Amino acid sequence: MSTDLPDFAPRLDPLPYEDKLEARPLQQIDLVVIHCTELPDLAMARHYGERILHASGTGNSGHYYIDRDGSVHVYVRPERIAHHVRGCNPRSVGIELVNTGRYPDWLTVGSQKMEEPYTDAQIDALTTLLDHLRQELPSLRYIAGHEDLDTAREPASDDPTITVPRKMDPGPLFPWDAVLRAIPLERLKPHAV
């Protein structure tokens, strides 16, 4: 890790299966994807990340998690390909912000609002992390929200005649303008990948 950013002190807490994730050169990474956990707290996000979902003995997780207090946790180091977004995992790093999102009824018709604001501490930590990643990842050029890259719709869990977005994170309360002013990355939109 670079020492150019003295206030950047992520907590290394790798998932048990991190070594089973495919390795990659850091030069392969040109995209960072912003997510929200859509879970009530970091402990539950960790629990979900540890679940084994694939034949390889791995699960779904971002690389970095930023809690509401601004603490940064590394669950998967960037040199490993984490499962966090359809179609873009080999080229991207996933950053998860702890936020309830649509929890616990992600796909019900009545819960398609994301009303929890992100904390100032989270956004400050995010911009510091992004600055760090720009120094560490020589090809990093793009940023996107999970909702920008996974635009699929699914039948609502409470009314299959209605479809709802599969992913909405980081959602309407994420301060894109402020983040993009602070960090010169190009935002990818749907179908630009």
Side-chain angles (χ1 to χ4, degrees):
M1 296 271 172
S2 172
T3 57
D4 295 344
L5 299 168
D7 294 335
F8 183 70
R11 297 176 189 170
L12 187 59
D13 190 13
L15 290 168
Y17 57 74
E18 183 191 42
D19 290 342
K20 294 181 180 180
L21 294 167
E22 186 178 342
R24 65 178 169 190
L26 293 179
Q27 296 87 341
Q28 183 172 313
I29 304 166
D30 70 345
L31 170 66
V32 63
V33 181
I34 307 298
H35 302 262
C36 83
T37 58
E38 292 205 78
L39 295 166
D41 55 39
L42 184 64
M44 188 175 281
R46 177 69 185 204
H47 172 74
Y48 271 69
E50 289 180 349
R51 296 186 323 181
I52 303 302
L53 302 172
H54 307 289
S56 62
T58 64
N60 295 337
S61 170
H63 291 85
Y64 297 91
Y65 284 70
I66 302 177
D67 207 348
R68 290 177 181 93
D69 65 0
S71 60
V72 178
H73 306 260
V74 184
Y75 286 3
V76 177
R77 286 170 274 224
E79 54 269 12
R80 297 286 178 172
I81 298 173
H83 305 288
H84 64 97
V85 63
R86 291 178 175 182
C88 296
N89 291 321
R91 68 183 281 204
S92 66
V93 166
I95 300 175
E96 298 266 1
L97 301 170
V98 175
N99 185 288
T100 55
R102 300 173 292 172
Y103 176 84
D105 301 311
W106 300 280
L107 299 178
T108 62
V109 174
S111 68
Q112 297 305 302
K113 293 181 182 176
M114 298 177 77
E115 299 178 327
E116 180 186 353
Y118 294 95
T119 68
D120 291 341
Q122 281 179 306
I123 301 307
D124 290 346
L126 174 64
T127 57
T128 299
L129 173 57
L130 289 171
D131 192 39
H132 171 80
L133 290 175
R134 287 184 61 241
Q135 293 180 37
E136 295 294 313
L137 305 174
S139 302
L140 189 62
R141 180 175 169 196
Y142 303 106
I143 188 169
H146 196 184
E147 64 193 338
D148 297 329
L149 304 176
D150 188 343
T151 59
R153 296 182 68 84
E154 294 189 3
S157 57
D158 58 341
D159 185 348
T161 65
I162 298 174
T163 63
V164 295
R166 193 177 104 75
K167 297 296 178 184
M168 290 181 64
D169 58 312
L173 299 181
F174 183 76
W176 277 111
D177 290 342
V179 170
L180 292 173
R181 272 194 310 273
I183 303 296
L185 294 171
E186 181 181 337
R187 185 174 177 194
L188 288 182
K189 296 290 192 158
H191 311 296
V193 290

